[in-house]
Amino acid sequence: MDTSRRAFVKALSALPVEILTSRKLPSSSTLAATRRRPASLTEIRWPKPIGSPVLESTRPAIENSRDVFTHVDRIVEVAAWMGYEDLAMPEYPVPSGVQSTAPNDVVDLILVANSIDTAFTDFKTHVKFQVDYEGQHTSDSDAMFACLNRAMHNGLPILDGRFLAKVTRPELEKIFAGNIEMPMLDEKLEVLHQVGSVLAGKYEGRFHNFIKSGPPLLYDGGNGLVERMAKEFPRFNDVSPYDGREIKFYKLAQLGLWFAWATYRKDGPVQLNDVEKMTTFPDYIVPVALRLLGINSYSPELEHVIDTYQLIPRDSTQEVEIRAHSIYATALLREEINKIRPADLQVIIPQVNERLWTHYHTTFWPHHLTKTIMY
Amino acid sequence: MLAAAGGNPLRQAAGANPSDVNLGGVKSDASPRWPKPIGSPVLDSLRPVIENSRDVHTHVDKIVEVAGWMAYEELPMPEYHLPAGVGVNDPNEAIDFIMVADVIDTAFTDFSTHVKFTTEYAGQHWSDSEAEFACLKRAMDNGIPILDGNFLAKVTRQQLNEIFSGNIEMPMLDEKLAVLHQVGPVLAEKYNGRFSNFIRSCPPRLYDNGKGIIDRLVVEFPRFNDVSQYDGHEIKLYKLPQLGIWFVYASLHPSGKFQLEDIGAMTAFADYIVPVALRLLGITSYSPALEHAINTYQMIPRDSTQEIEIRAHCIYATALLREEVNKIRPADKQIIIPQIDARLWMPYHTTFWPHHLTKTIMY
C-alpha cells in the first residue's frame, strides 16, 4: 500500500507542470513554471538540529509526503527579502482587562486560556464566536479572553483547577455567553475537567506551581516543561501516527509556554533556558502563509479539498503532512534567514512563526479545516 | 552612464538578491504598462522618468508575483499614535502637531557618523521621527508654543537646539531652522499661526484644480514643493505634503473628524525605505553603478537622475502593485496605495540593508 502510494506520488511529480499548475495558484504561474520539482526523496535537506524532538520527529512525514511538498529553492528566495525585515522578538502585553496583574495570575490565565485555545468558528455555519464586554467588541481568542476576564470579575475562580475540574456545562455556557454557543463547548468542557483535575491533584490547582516544579527547560530528558505537559495532561499530547511512526507537534504546549515566557521574558515566572528549541506552532494559518509564498505546494487533490472547505480528518496523512511541513519549512526558513543576518540579529523559529501568522491570520484565502482540540 | 536598453535585468551586483527568479523579459522601455489614473498629478508626472530610466527598472511580472501572495494579507489601514494627550479633545491641535512635525520630518541620522538621533521622554527611549515627536511634546509640556507660527517664525537656533536635546545635535538642525522660519511667517500672516486654519480653509480634497490641500501646500509653503527636473520635465514627488495629510487623515478620519473626497489619489511617500523594500522583493532593480553607490554609502545628489529614478519608480511600482493586489481581493477589501506603502515601510524601516543617501529637506 505504502509503496504504491509513493509510486503514485512519483508519477504525479513527473506530470507536466501545466497540469499541476492549472488550478488557481496565487503565486504566479511564471514562478510555478520555473520552480524545480521537489528534490528527490533521497536528497532532502534537513535543518541543523536545534534540540527539538518535534522537529526531529517530522522526518518520516517529510520524506514520504504524498500531498504536501516543500520547495527549498523558494525558501532561499523568500529568505533573501524576509531576512532584511525587522522580525523583532514579539512583546506580548498582559492580556487587557485582567482582574489581577500579578505575574503568577497572568501566567495562570494564559495557560488556562491556552488549554482551550481551539476552534472559535462554528464548523457548519462558519460564524465566529464574538463577545461584547466593557465596551469592547472582540472575536476569536480575544473573545475567549474577554469571557474569562468577565468570569473573574464576577468572582468565578477560573484560574483554580479545583473549580475547573468540576465546572458544569451550564456554568461554562454562561461563562462563554456570546453571539453563538462557544464552538466545541463539549470538548472544551472535557479539557477543563481533565486539566483542572491534574492541577488540583498535584499543583494546588495552579499552573504556575506546575511550572515551578521542574527545571526551566522545554526538554530535559523527559522532565522538561513541554515533555511534562504532554505526559501529565493528555490534552497536550499533540502527536499523530504516520506510516507507523509517531510525529510530534506539541502545538499548544509550545504556544502556551511561548506566550507565558514572551510576556515577561527574563523577569517572569516562566523561564526557558532553551527557548531556541521552540518550533513553529502548526495551526491553520502558518500553512496558508507557506502555501501562498510558494514555499509549500499541495497535490491537486488536497488543494481541491481545502478550496471546497471539506473537513480533513484529524490524524489523516494530509493533516499530518500539512502540519509537519509547517514545522520543517519554517525551520529551514529560519536557517536561511540567519545566514543573511548579522550575529546580533539572529532569530529563532517563533519569530518567523510570528511574522507569517500576523500577516495572514485574517486572510480570506481558505485554510484547511480539521476538527480537533489540538489547535 | 547610459543604460540598459531592454532585457538585462542587471541584478547580479546584489549578493542577497532573490536572483533565481526568471524575470521573463523586461518590457521594452518604450511601452511600460501604466497604472489606471487615480487623479494624482504626482503619478501622472512620472512618465518621462519611467520611460527613460537609466539606472532603475521596474519588473511588472515580479509585481504580479508579489501581489499573488501579498493580496491575501490583511493590509490594514495603518493606525498612527500621537504622543499621549496630544489632540485628545481638539482635532485642530492634532492637525497642528502633525503638520509642524511633518515640515521638519527630514533626516534623523547624522550623515557623517551614521548615529541616530534619540531622546528620553516620559521615562521612555525614542529614536528617529518618534524622537522628534517626543521632543515636540516635551516642548509643549514646558509651555513652549511650538504649534504657533508666530513662535516658529522667530525661534532661535539655540532654542531649537534645546527643544531637540538628545544624544547628538539634531541632524540638519540649520535646515530645520530655516524651514520653520519659512513656514512660521506664512502661518502667522495668513492663518492666525495655525496649520489647522490653513487646512480648514481648503476644500476637502487633495487636488482641486489648484485649490486642493496638496495643490496649495506646495504653492504657499515652498518647502513642500518636492519636485525635480528630469530631461526637461518637472517630476512631482510631494512626499511630505502627502505624508502629512495622510497622517492627519489616518488619525482623524476613523472618528469622523476629517474628510477627504479623493483619498484614493494618494501615492506612496517616496522616501529612503520603500525603495529598499521594492528592491529586496525584486520589484525594482538597479544598474551595477547605482547598486555600488548605495552599497558603499556614497551620497546620491539631490535632483540627480539616479535620485529621481529611485523615487519615481517607488511611486510607479507601488501604484501597479496596488492595482494587482486589488484584482485579487474582494470588493469590500479593496485598498489604496498608502496601505501598500505602510505594508512595505513597516517591516523594513529598521532594516540593515543599505538605503540610498541623499541630503535633502524633502524626505
Side-chain angles (χ1 to χ4, degrees):
Chain A
M1 184 60 193
D2 179 36
T3 33
S4 66
R5 291 195 69 161
R6 281 175 63 175
F8 168 74
V9 172
K10 281 181 182 170
L12 189 67
S13 69
L15 286 173
V17 285
E18 303 86 74
I19 293 178
L20 291 172
T21 58
S22 61
R23 314 196 55 264
K24 58 164 178 169
L25 277 174
S27 333
S28 80
S29 52
T30 318
L31 177 71
T34 55
R35 192 184 304 139
R36 291 188 297 276
R37 296 302 307 153
S40 90
L41 297 182
T42 50
E43 51 178 274
I44 276 179
R45 176 175 149 192
W46 200 253
K48 288 192 203 80
I50 58 168
S52 165
V54 171
L55 179 57
E56 285 155 27
S57 79
T58 56
R59 196 156 184 148
I62 304 304
E63 288 180 348
N64 300 294
S65 279
R66 292 77 140 149
D67 291 292
V68 183
F69 305 93
T70 292
H71 305 283
V72 176
D73 52 348
R74 184 66 187 158
I75 289 175
V76 173
E77 215 178 281
V78 169
W81 51 262
M82 197 178 280
Y84 297 95
E85 294 189 2
D86 193 20
L87 303 177
M89 187 67 92
E91 290 181 46
Y92 300 113
V94 169
S96 64
V98 293
Q99 189 187 34
S100 160
T101 55
N104 280 341
D105 290 341
V106 170
V107 163
D108 287 346
L109 174 64
I110 289 171
L111 292 174
V112 167
N114 176 65
S115 69
I116 50 172
D117 184 10
T118 62
F120 298 109
T121 300
D122 188 283
F123 279 89
K124 289 190 187 117
T125 62
H126 304 291
V127 174
K128 275 186 186 181
F129 178 68
Q130 296 164 60
V131 167
D132 288 289
Y133 179 59
E134 290 192 330
Q136 295 273 30
H137 182 80
T138 52
S139 62
D140 288 313
S141 63
D142 288 340
M144 170 184 64
F145 270 104
C147 289
L148 295 175
N149 286 333
R150 184 175 60 188
M152 282 190 283
H153 286 293
N154 292 337
L156 295 177
I158 55 109
L159 303 185
D160 188 340
R162 286 162 292 202
F163 171 78
L164 300 176
K166 292 179 189 153
V167 66
T168 65
R169 195 182 198 285
E171 283 173 322
L172 204 58
E173 274 172 30
K174 208 172 159 194
I175 288 171
F176 290 123
N179 63 325
I180 53 171
E181 180 176 288
M182 170 62 93
M184 297 180 72
L185 188 69
D186 291 314
E187 289 85 348
K188 288 179 171 77
L189 182 71
E190 198 180 319
V191 162
L192 291 176
H193 286 172
Q194 180 201 93
V195 168
S197 303
V198 177
L199 291 176
K202 296 173 71 176
Y203 302 108
E204 292 171 51
R206 303 290 291 249
F207 262 118
H208 69 263
N209 293 327
F210 163 80
I211 300 284
K212 281 182 190 142
S213 68
L217 295 165
L218 298 172
Y219 302 101
D220 187 28
N223 292 318
L225 290 166
V226 169
E227 292 164 315
R228 289 174 53 218
M229 282 176 84
K231 196 164 48 188
E232 299 183 31
F233 305 88
R235 74 87 59 253
F236 288 120
N237 192 30
D238 176 14
V239 301
S240 293
Y242 187 91
D243 291 353
R245 312 283 286 273
E246 182 182 87
I247 315 294
K248 299 178 171 76
F249 297 104
Y250 297 162
K251 189 256 184 176
L252 285 177
Q254 293 194 84
L255 182 63
L257 292 168
W258 169 253
F259 270 133
W261 176 82
T263 302
Y264 295 105
R265 302 200 209 162
K266 285 198 194 86
D267 309 318
V270 178
Q271 291 301 302
L272 296 174
N273 295 339
D274 59 353
V275 71
E276 73 284 352
K277 293 181 181 174
M278 284 268 183
T279 67
T280 209
F281 313 117
D283 62 352
Y284 300 105
I285 298 301
V286 171
V288 170
L290 295 169
R291 165 73 188 72
L292 286 169
L293 289 167
I295 288 174
N296 285 161
S297 64
Y298 298 158
S299 68
E301 291 82 357
L302 177 56
E303 193 81 38
H304 178 72
V305 164
I306 292 173
D307 289 352
T308 53
Y309 301 93
Q310 296 172 46
L311 279 174
I312 296 179
R314 170 73 184 161
D315 290 337
S316 63
T317 60
Q318 290 185 333
E319 194 234 10
V320 176
E321 289 176 19
I322 289 170
R323 301 184 79 207
H325 279 270
S326 280
I327 290 183
Y328 166 71
T330 50
L332 281 182
L333 181 56
R334 177 254 189 176
E335 222 172 76
E336 287 299 315
I337 283 172
N338 277 345
K339 281 184 191 170
I340 294 170
R341 293 167 78 89
D344 60 335
L345 294 177
Q346 296 285 294
V347 298
I348 62 175
I349 297 171
Q351 289 167 272
V352 175
N353 178 91
E354 179 81 5
R355 162 63 179 77
L356 299 175
W357 193 87
T358 52
H359 281 66
Y360 285 109
H361 76 285
T362 59
T363 188
F364 57 98
W365 182 265
H367 60 70
H368 79 280
L369 292 173
T370 296
K371 201 165 181 183
T372 174
I373 60 161
M374 290 305 176
Y375 57 101
Chain B
M1 187 63 218
L2 281 184
N8 184 358
L10 295 170
R11 305 162 80 215
Q12 62 275 26
N17 198 44
S19 57
D20 55 345
V21 176
N22 178 5
L23 288 169
V26 179
K27 291 280 190 302
S28 144
D29 286 353
S31 59
R33 173 175 148 192
W34 203 255
K36 289 192 202 79
I38 57 170
S40 165
V42 171
L43 183 58
D44 293 343
S45 78
L46 307 178
R47 211 158 175 139
V49 185
I50 305 304
E51 288 180 353
N52 299 292
S53 280
R54 289 80 139 151
D55 290 291
V56 182
H57 304 275
T58 292
H59 306 285
V60 175
D61 53 350
K62 193 70 184 170
I63 289 175
V64 174
E65 188 189 307
V66 168
W69 51 261
M70 193 179 281
Y72 298 95
E73 296 188 4
E74 186 176 0
L75 304 176
M77 288 289 277
E79 288 175 27
Y80 299 107
H81 298 284
L82 295 175
V86 174
V88 169
N89 297 311
D90 180 6
N92 286 337
E93 184 182 78
I95 292 174
D96 295 337
F97 188 90
I98 290 167
M99 293 306 293
V100 168
D102 185 57
V103 296
I104 49 174
D105 183 9
T106 61
F108 299 110
T109 301
D110 188 283
F111 281 90
S112 322
T113 64
H114 305 291
V115 174
K116 272 186 190 182
F117 177 74
T118 64
T119 199
E120 306 291 327
Y121 171 67
Q124 271 187 283
H125 188 73
W126 310 86
S127 68
D128 285 315
S129 64
E130 287 192 330
E132 185 217 354
F133 273 45
C135 290
L136 293 177
K137 178 61 167 62
R138 185 174 58 197
M140 286 170 69
D141 294 348
N142 294 335
I144 302 172
I146 53 109
L147 303 186
D148 186 344
N150 294 291
F151 171 78
L152 299 177
K154 292 175 191 156
V155 64
T156 65
R157 191 183 198 283
Q158 195 185 339
Q159 283 174 313
L160 202 59
N161 197 24
E162 278 167 28
I163 289 170
F164 290 121
S165 69
N167 62 327
I168 53 171
E169 179 176 288
M170 171 60 90
M172 296 180 72
L173 187 68
D174 291 314
E175 288 85 348
K176 288 179 171 76
L177 182 70
V179 162
L180 292 176
H181 285 173
Q182 179 204 91
V183 168
V186 178
L187 291 176
E189 285 156 29
K190 296 175 69 179
Y191 302 107
N192 204 17
R194 299 281 171 164
F195 262 117
S196 49
N197 293 328
F198 163 80
I199 287 189
R200 301 296 185 190
S201 76
C202 298
R205 296 188 62 83
L206 300 172
Y207 303 104
D208 191 16
N209 294 316
K211 301 194 298 292
I213 297 173
I214 304 289
D215 290 326
R216 285 179 50 194
L217 273 174
V218 303
V219 172
E220 299 186 32
F221 303 90
R223 77 84 58 250
F224 281 130
N225 193 28
D226 175 14
V227 300
S228 293
Q229 299 298 317
Y230 187 93
D231 291 353
H233 301 275
E234 183 181 89
I235 312 301
K236 301 179 169 78
L237 291 312
Y238 293 174
K239 191 259 186 174
L240 285 177
Q242 291 196 88
L243 181 63
I245 300 306
W246 170 250
F247 203 136
V248 168
Y249 179 85
S251 301
L252 299 181
H253 180 73
S255 55
K257 296 186 185 110
F258 189 72
Q259 313 293 331
L260 283 174
E261 292 168 2
D262 61 346
I263 189 67
M266 247 342 152
T267 70
F269 313 115
D271 65 350
Y272 300 105
I273 299 301
V274 178
V276 170
L278 295 167
R279 165 71 190 73
L280 286 169
L281 289 166
I283 287 174
T284 57
S285 63
Y286 298 159
S287 69
L290 177 56
E291 193 80 39
H292 179 74
I294 293 173
N295 290 345
T296 53
Y297 302 93
Q298 294 172 41
M299 296 298 294
I300 295 180
R302 170 73 183 160
D303 290 333
S304 64
T305 60
Q306 289 185 334
E307 193 234 10
I308 299 167
E309 290 178 18
I310 290 169
R311 301 183 77 207
H313 279 269
C314 170
I315 294 172
Y316 166 72
T318 48
L320 281 181
L321 181 55
R322 176 255 188 178
E323 228 174 68
E324 287 299 316
V325 162
N326 276 346
K327 280 184 190 170
I328 294 170
R329 291 167 77 92
D332 63 335
K333 293 188 191 306
Q334 295 287 295
I335 59 165
I336 60 176
I337 297 170
Q339 288 167 273
I340 291 285
D341 179 280
R343 166 63 184 80
L344 298 175
W345 192 87
M346 282 302 300
Y348 286 112
H349 77 283
T350 57
T351 189
F352 56 97
W353 182 267
H355 60 71
H356 77 280
L357 292 173
T358 296
K359 201 166 181 182
T360 173
I361 60 161
M362 289 305 176
Y363 55 101

